[in-house]
Amino acid sequence: MSSFIALEGPDGSGKSTQAKLLAEEVGARGYDVLLTREPGGSPIGDQIRQILFTLNNKSMHPKTEFLLFSASRAQHVYEVIRPYLDKGGVVISDRYFHSSLAYQGYGHDLDLDTLKQITSFATSDLLPDLILLLDLPVEEGLNRRKSEGKWNRLDDYQLEFHQKVRQGYHAMVDEDPDRWAIVDASQPVERIQMEIRKVVFRHLASVQTLP
Ligand code: TYD
């Protein structure tokens, strides 16, 4: 039985490292697994990613940002995620639409209902079965990214913006707690991975036993 798992979290939460380690283990346990990411995840999506992360595009309006993320996502769903799920595989995505709700919605105060409608159109309501929120204090995450030299245009926004993003994630967890699992991302990498695996394999086992 297929399963769609998304990793979410503020910048510098170590999602990409964790997603990679998780995908390796899911594969090692015999599942067909696809690791992918947003924005991007498809050749067209990767071109959109370039536009979004060009440091010079400082005048980009949050609405433009949202629509580009959504365009990349539509392509990702139809070209990559949907077909893999239809074959019965496990898809692990490093970010999905809750990133847009958190960053462009809660962070930039764009109207959430409108964003949800456009997202529903872009994805045909494809929702992850499980979402892992890698949670950590905003200052800690930003410092990590700076020290790794991974700084992009979106990181340049104010600390207050990142606080709103984190609060947005928590609001979404509260709205749909059964779909989410919060993992404390300020722990060492191995410890975080252990917690993630516990949640994911419990989820995969429950999916397998469903009639
Ligand atoms: P990325 O280089 O993937 O870094 P990270 O390791 O933090 O995931 O950059 C993703 C950035 O794009 C990050 O700042 C969050 C932002 N983003 C949005 O604002 N909206 C979205 O819908 C997505 C997918 C990402």
Side-chain angles (χ1 to χ4, degrees):
M1 176 109 169
S2 68
S3 185
F4 180 20
I5 300 167
L7 273 79
E8 292 285 351
D11 296 46
S13 55
K15 269 185 303 62
S16 308
T17 307
Q18 295 296 338
K20 194 163 165 275
L21 292 169
L22 175 64
E24 281 166 12
E25 182 65 15
V26 171
R29 295 206 198 178
Y31 294 90
D32 287 329
V33 62
L34 174 76
L35 173 62
T36 185
R37 67 162 182 189
E38 289 203 356
S42 72
I44 292 173
D46 283 334
Q47 292 173 59
I48 298 173
R49 184 183 173 94
Q50 292 295 322
I51 303 174
L52 279 160
F53 294 154
T54 299
L55 278 163
N56 288 338
N57 287 344
K58 285 207 188 302
S59 62
M60 191 182 289
H61 192 278
K63 287 188 180 179
T64 313
E65 233 173 60
F66 173 76
L67 291 168
L68 286 172
F69 281 120
S70 298
S72 157
R73 181 164 303 130
Q75 190 65 29
H76 193 202
V77 166
Y78 292 107
E79 189 179 344
V80 180
I81 302 178
R82 234 316 140 218
Y84 205 83
L85 293 174
D86 287 345
K87 285 192 307 184
V90 175
V91 174
I92 298 173
S93 188
D94 183 353
R95 295 195 184 280
Y96 186 53
F97 74 72
H98 295 89
S99 285
S100 290
L101 300 182
Y103 284 78
Q104 283 68 51
Y106 288 94
H108 285 303
D109 300 314
L110 294 184
D111 179 61
L112 278 170
D113 285 337
T114 309
L115 301 195
K116 285 179 188 170
Q117 280 176 31
I118 297 170
T119 296
S120 156
F121 172 72
T123 63
S124 300
D125 294 319
L126 177 66
L127 252 173
D129 303 298
L130 171 68
I131 313 167
L132 297 150
L133 174 60
L134 271 64
D135 191 38
L136 89 168
V138 168
E139 294 84 351
E140 220 178 290
L142 292 180
N143 284 339
R144 262 199 221 172
R145 278 184 73 93
K146 272 190 181 156
S147 64
E148 287 167 3
K150 285 189 202 156
W151 202 246
N152 68 47
R153 193 181 54 79
L154 298 181
D155 292 322
D156 260 341
Y157 290 120
Q158 304 301 319
L159 198 63
E160 189 199 330
F161 167 79
H162 290 282
Q163 301 283 14
K164 288 201 286 185
V165 170
R166 186 179 184 209
Q167 285 158 10
Y169 274 125
H170 282 272
M172 291 190 282
V173 174
D174 291 344
E175 270 172 25
D176 192 8
D178 292 346
R179 197 178 302 276
W180 291 77
I182 300 183
V183 176
D184 174 3
S186 55
Q187 308 177 86
V189 173
E190 306 73 41
R191 178 86 218 158
I192 300 172
Q193 182 62 205
M194 241 174 66
E195 283 193 21
I196 290 178
R197 286 181 184 178
K198 216 156 95 188
V199 176
V200 167
F201 288 109
R202 199 192 305 135
H203 159 75
L204 288 176
S206 75
V207 173
Q208 298 300 322
T209 54
L210 284 176

